[in-house]
Amino acid sequence: MKQIDDIVKNCTCQEDMITLQHYRRLIEAAGDIIYLIDRDGYFTYVNPRAYTLLGYTPEEVIGKRFTTFVSEDWKDRVQAFYANQLQNQVSETTLEFPVVTKNGQEFWAEQTVVSIVENGVTTGFQGNVRDITKRKRAENELSLRLEQLTVLQRVDIELMDALDIDYILTMALDQIVRLSHADSGFIGLAQRNDQMAIAQAIGDYSGAEPIPYCDPQAGIVGRVIQEHRPEFVLDIEAAGCHSVIPDIRAQMAIPLLSRNGLIGVLCLETRKPERFTMAVHEFAQLITTRVAAAITNAQLYTAVQQQLTELHELYTLKSRFVSMVSHEFRTPLATILSASNNLHDYFERMTVEQRAKQVSKVRTQIDHMTNLLDDVLTIGRTEAGIIQFNPTLMDLHAFCLRIVEQFRSLHRTNQIIYNCTGHPEEILFDEKLMRQVITNLLSNAIKYSPADRPVTLNLKFEERQIELSIRDEGMGIPESDYQQLFQPFHRASNVGTIAGTGLGLAITKHAAELHGGQITFSSKVGEGTTFTVTIPQEKDDQSHEENSRN
């Protein structure tokens, strides 16, 4: 204002005075802020429009540096821009940046600055500032829409053939959080127990399992799950909500819906509520619609793959069963047929001893086939969950001794060693199932070991469990067979022509599990195998004290 007044005073003719007064009225009535600053950046004049846009009177502005009114994040950029104009003597520049008003609010301004040059030297600048907040908002809205369309197109392409749920969730959450400018968020998926659990998260939700904010009275996620409608809250404290992430002020939640109902929920959180606009909310819903469809497709694919795997397993099981039956039944049937033919053709010529020998062959093979059928029926009942478990209190040490003696009488060429450690006592076990465990493991150890190598049965009584281990020094088990070793009808790949059904280990495993125990093994090809069965034993404190005293 002072500079304008000085110019008016120096006018010598009335015509110039009228013209200058006219310009002064135009400047002071302009819709933009018009100002003058010296080369150091201090205001020397500003028109009254400064009060309308900034809330400062001209007198409050004059004498202050121009960066006083620039948003803190932009101060360095604006100062560097105009320092470059002064240094390179650029006559006119235009720059857009946020300006801070007297009450702390910000608006976007477009500033045009013209250098004032006297005798080839820049002495100051003349500028005008206009409010472009509406234009900037429209530009940002357009830019956001274009970015959203680009993201939607990318998401559509990515999800078109995506069948990996983890990939779908990771990609979708990354895109939504980035475009919504959220500080954190998660996607929860419905579980089989009707609970919701976090499947993918950005932010620390580790202490919020199975999923946070599920209380419909005070949790946005709970209301969305209950009502199947999206919701966002711009002030969670006022709404009675909370966050497990520090300093969160706003939340947004959107259901993931399929034809069959709710399959999950998306939750976004921010420390700056102004980021969650209706446009962001609508965009998030567009993304979740696509994500829900992709998750449904992936789940259907997974289910189909599981069914195909089960069908393949059934087909493999059937093939093994047919192979086992054709092999294991052919030999005894051939023996029975041969013995029958001998009895039919040479009965009169045979001695009593010869006849008895042929009958014994028939009976032995019938017993073998009966045992084979019993094993098949046992597997069937076990798989159907109808096998009976009848534990009684018995002396396991004496039980093992009887079985070992039976095996010693049948397999005189093998050395069978039996050891018992701890304090033998009566325990609860199912006699029939325990016999299957011991006889199957001993039979395999003998079958797959050389006749001159020992087989060792160790029984160990411990404080809270019993441990039964059978070790051989036979051919061992290849690592490639480990995973399927306890599957029905599966036999190790190195057994060659040794007879067997592939049912013994499967039956043993089920029998151990019915006792609440488990079976493990260690093996090395060419050196032998050890199978270990552990069965827990529940004891009260009184009996434990008595055993300790004994």
Side-chain angles (χ1 to χ4, degrees):
M1 183 73 77
K2 186 176 181 300
Q3 288 189 2
I4 301 295
D5 291 338
D6 290 343
I7 294 173
V8 172
K9 290 178 182 178
N10 292 332
C11 290
T12 54
C13 65
Q14 185 176 4
E15 184 177 343
D16 290 340
M17 181 74 74
I18 293 171
T19 301
L20 286 172
Q21 288 176 345
H22 176 67
Y23 284 138
R24 178 176 179 175
R25 285 195 297 269
L26 287 175
I27 290 172
E28 292 183 352
D32 297 341
I33 296 176
I34 298 175
Y35 66 85
L36 296 173
I37 59 174
D38 59 25
R39 60 179 292 120
D40 294 323
Y42 290 91
F43 285 96
T44 59
Y45 169 78
V46 65
N47 69 343
R49 183 64 174 170
Y51 181 77
T52 306
L53 295 183
L54 297 175
Y56 292 99
T57 64
E59 291 75 19
E60 289 177 305
V61 174
I62 293 173
K64 287 185 171 60
R65 205 160 187 277
F66 75 95
T67 53
T68 302
F69 308 100
V70 177
S71 175
E72 192 66 35
D73 296 339
W74 279 75
K75 285 184 186 292
D76 292 340
R77 280 179 280 183
V78 173
Q79 186 162 321
F81 186 84
Y82 289 116
N84 179 70
Q85 181 177 0
L86 178 63
Q87 182 179 353
N88 296 312
Q89 296 185 343
V90 179
S91 60
E92 182 177 328
T93 59
T94 300
L95 181 64
E96 297 176 358
F97 57 89
V99 172
V100 182
T101 65
K102 190 174 183 177
N103 62 8
Q105 299 297 314
E106 291 186 3
F107 70 87
W108 274 90
E110 179 187 75
Q111 179 170 265
T112 301
V113 176
V114 178
S115 300
I116 299 174
V117 181
E118 296 179 3
N119 300 323
V121 178
T122 301
T123 60
F125 299 94
Q126 173 186 318
N128 71 288
V129 178
R130 65 179 51 181
D131 184 354
I132 60 167
T133 303
K134 290 183 179 180
R135 190 192 82 194
K136 202 71 177 177
R137 188 180 297 122
E139 289 176 355
N140 290 340
E141 183 73 18
L142 179 60
S143 176
L144 177 63
R145 291 295 186 183
L146 289 174
E147 189 176 10
Q148 288 176 351
L149 287 174
T150 302
V151 169
L152 285 174
Q153 185 180 29
R154 187 185 308 124
V155 168
D156 285 339
I157 294 172
E158 292 285 344
L159 296 183
M160 186 178 298
D161 299 317
L163 296 172
D164 184 336
I165 292 181
D166 288 337
Y167 170 76
I168 293 170
L169 297 176
T170 300
M171 186 274 295
L173 188 60
D174 285 346
Q175 294 290 347
I176 295 174
V177 168
R178 183 176 64 83
L179 267 185
S180 66
H181 303 290
D183 293 300
S184 58
F186 63 83
I187 294 177
L189 292 183
Q191 307 299 302
R192 290 183 177 179
N193 58 1
D194 295 328
Q195 297 294 317
M196 193 76 66
I198 292 178
Q200 187 68 32
I202 295 177
D204 185 11
Y205 293 95
S206 56
E209 296 294 345
I211 194 169
Y213 325 135
C214 271
D215 180 6
Q217 301 302 319
I220 185 172
V221 171
R223 291 196 293 272
V224 169
I225 292 174
Q226 191 176 69
E227 300 174 8
H228 295 188
R229 291 187 301 178
E231 182 180 343
F232 71 100
V233 176
L234 295 180
D235 187 342
I236 62 172
E237 186 175 351
C241 300
H242 71 284
S243 175
V244 298
I245 307 296
D247 304 321
I248 289 297
R249 294 180 59 194
Q251 293 175 333
M252 178 185 300
I254 300 170
L256 301 177
L257 299 171
S258 71
R259 292 180 179 179
N260 297 325
L262 184 75
I263 62 172
V265 62
L266 164 72
C267 180
L268 302 174
E269 302 188 271
T270 182
R271 296 179 176 89
K272 296 183 178 181
E274 63 273 10
R275 292 176 177 174
F276 282 180
T277 63
M278 185 57 68
V280 169
H281 192 229
E282 292 171 354
F283 168 73
Q285 291 183 68
L286 291 175
I287 289 285
T288 53
T289 300
R290 289 159 168 78
V291 171
I295 291 174
T296 301
N297 289 339
Q299 289 174 336
L300 288 173
Y301 173 78
T302 302
V304 170
Q305 289 296 105
Q306 180 64 30
Q307 291 175 354
L308 289 175
T309 301
E310 291 174 358
L311 286 173
H312 177 71
E313 290 175 353
L314 286 173
Y315 175 78
T316 303
L317 193 64
K318 177 184 176 182
S319 298
R320 290 175 183 168
F321 175 74
V322 171
S323 176
M324 183 275 296
V325 169
S326 62
H327 182 271
E328 292 299 318
F329 275 71
R330 183 183 293 119
T331 301
L333 286 174
T335 302
I336 292 172
L337 179 61
S338 174
S340 300
N341 288 336
N342 287 336
L343 289 170
H344 180 272
D345 296 339
Y346 307 108
F347 185 83
E348 298 295 337
R349 302 179 193 177
M350 288 182 178
T351 65
V352 173
E353 290 78 9
Q354 289 174 328
R355 295 171 186 170
K357 185 178 180 180
Q358 295 299 318
V359 172
S360 177
K361 286 183 180 180
V362 172
R363 286 176 177 173
T364 299
Q365 296 306 319
I366 290 174
D367 288 342
H368 174 73
M369 294 175 64
T370 300
N371 291 333
L372 177 61
L373 289 173
D374 284 343
D375 285 347
V376 173
L377 291 173
T378 299
I379 283 292
R381 288 195 297 268
T382 302
E383 295 291 341
I386 58 175
I387 193 167
Q388 292 184 351
F389 177 62
N390 300 309
T392 56
L393 200 61
M394 294 181 64
D395 185 342
L396 183 59
H397 171 51
F399 185 75
C400 289
L401 273 175
R402 288 196 299 273
I403 294 177
V404 168
E405 289 302 322
Q406 291 172 2
F407 269 82
R408 283 171 178 168
S409 63
L410 292 173
H411 305 278
R412 298 185 181 278
T413 57
N414 293 88
Q415 181 185 6
I416 302 175
I417 302 170
Y418 172 65
N419 299 310
C420 179
T421 58
H423 299 284
E425 58 183 318
E426 289 189 340
I427 64 170
L428 282 171
F429 65 90
D430 184 298
E431 181 181 2
K432 182 178 180 181
L433 294 178
M434 186 61 71
R435 183 178 296 278
Q436 288 177 330
V437 169
I438 299 172
T439 56
N440 283 337
L441 293 178
L442 275 177
S443 296
N444 283 350
I446 293 171
K447 184 190 303 183
Y448 300 116
S449 299
D452 59 342
R453 304 307 300 166
V455 171
T456 303
L457 169 60
N458 292 310
L459 175 62
K460 184 189 296 184
F461 287 86
E462 297 180 347
E463 183 179 352
R464 296 291 178 181
Q465 68 177 20
I466 61 167
E467 182 180 288
L468 189 73
S469 65
I470 296 178
R471 178 171 56 86
D472 66 59
E473 298 178 14
M475 63 176 59
I477 303 168
E479 288 189 20
S480 58
D481 291 303
Y482 284 6
Q483 188 173 359
Q484 293 181 301
L485 192 62
F486 295 101
Q487 295 296 317
F489 306 110
H490 178 81
R491 304 191 70 208
S493 55
N494 61 340
V495 298
T497 58
I498 299 175
T501 63
L503 293 175
L505 288 178
I507 291 172
T508 300
K509 180 175 183 291
H510 285 302
E513 290 174 348
L514 284 171
H515 283 87
Q518 62 177 353
I519 181 170
T520 58
F521 71 95
S522 61
S523 183
K524 191 170 183 179
V525 174
E527 296 185 10
T529 302
T530 300
F531 282 93
T532 302
V533 177
T534 55
I535 298 176
Q537 295 295 303
E538 296 295 332
K539 297 181 180 180
D540 56 35
D541 293 338
Q542 183 178 356
S543 64
H544 176 62
E545 290 176 2
E546 292 175 356
N547 290 333
S548 299
R549 288 195 297 269
N550 294 334

